[in-house]
Amino acid sequence: MFAPQILEKARRIIEKSTSNGTMVATGESCTGGLIAAALTEIAGSSAVVDRGFVTYSNEAKNALLGVPESLIEDHGAVSAEVAEAMVIGVLQSSRADHAVAVTGIAGPGGGSDEKPVGLVYISAASRGKAPLVSKELFGDIGRTEVREATVSRALDLLYAELRP
C-alpha cells in the first residue's frame, strides 16, 4: 500500500514517539487521511497516534479544526495561513503533543497561475512551540504522486517535531 520509504518514516515516528511518551495527530485535506493511514500501518501505533482529521471541505476545516472562515476567504484554503491554523486546531482538538497538517492542490485540475497543481502547504507543531509551515511545489506530477510526496514530506516534518 505504501512505499517502503514512507513506512520507514512512519516507523521512526512511532518508535520515537513511543520512547518519548508522546502522542501525535494529523489534520489532512489533500491527502485525505493518508498520513494517518501510514502511521497506523505500523504495529504499536495505537499507543501514540491520538487521531486524524480529514478536513477536505472548508466547512470541515472550520467545524473540526476551528479554522476561521475569514482566514479561508482572505487567503484561500490552500495557503500557509490555513495550514498553520489547521495544525493549531489539531493540537487544540486532540490529546496530541505533536501534529502535522496539510492543504494543497493534488490535481489534475483545480490549479491556477497563482496556485498551481502540486502546491502544498504543510504545517507541523508541538504544544508550546510556534508552528512551522513549509511551502512545497511538487509540480503537476500526477494526483497520486503529489499525495505521496506530501505524505513523505509531512512525515519528515512531524519527525523533526519529535526531536528535542
Side-chain angles (χ1 to χ4, degrees):
M1 177 183 206
F2 290 102
Q5 64 270 24
I6 287 178
L7 291 175
E8 177 58 23
K9 290 176 183 192
R11 183 194 59 74
R12 288 185 350 184
I13 290 167
I14 299 306
E15 287 178 357
K16 188 69 165 172
S17 195
T18 299
S19 69
N20 290 350
T22 58
M23 298 191 85
V24 299
T26 65
E28 303 182 59
S29 187
C30 63
T31 50
L34 290 173
I35 301 165
L39 291 169
T40 58
E41 187 72 16
I42 307 303
S45 60
S46 61
V48 299
V49 177
D50 180 49
R51 64 192 75 189
F53 298 91
V54 177
T55 56
Y56 212 69
S57 70
N58 293 343
E59 180 183 341
K61 288 174 183 65
N62 174 259
L64 298 175
L65 300 179
V67 177
E69 291 176 14
S70 61
L71 197 65
I72 296 170
E73 290 169 9
D74 292 346
H75 301 281
V78 178
S79 63
E81 293 82 1
V82 168
E84 182 175 317
M86 286 174 66
V87 82
I88 291 168
V90 170
L91 288 173
Q92 291 174 343
S93 301
S94 72
R95 297 180 302 138
D97 303 287
H98 312 285
V100 67
V102 299
T103 184
I105 304 167
S112 66
D113 288 341
E114 184 181 301
K115 294 185 180 184
V117 170
L119 170 65
V120 178
Y121 290 93
I122 305 170
S123 186
S126 299
R127 290 195 185 275
K129 284 177 51 183
L132 166 101
V133 179
S134 178
K135 178 182 180 179
E136 306 293 335
L137 293 166
F138 297 118
D140 192 356
I141 57 175
R143 183 175 182 80
T144 298
E145 292 77 6
V146 168
R147 288 162 44 108
E148 287 175 351
T150 302
V151 170
S152 182
R153 182 70 176 126
L155 292 174
D156 290 340
L157 293 177
L158 182 56
Y159 185 73
E161 287 296 318
L162 299 177
R163 289 190 253 141

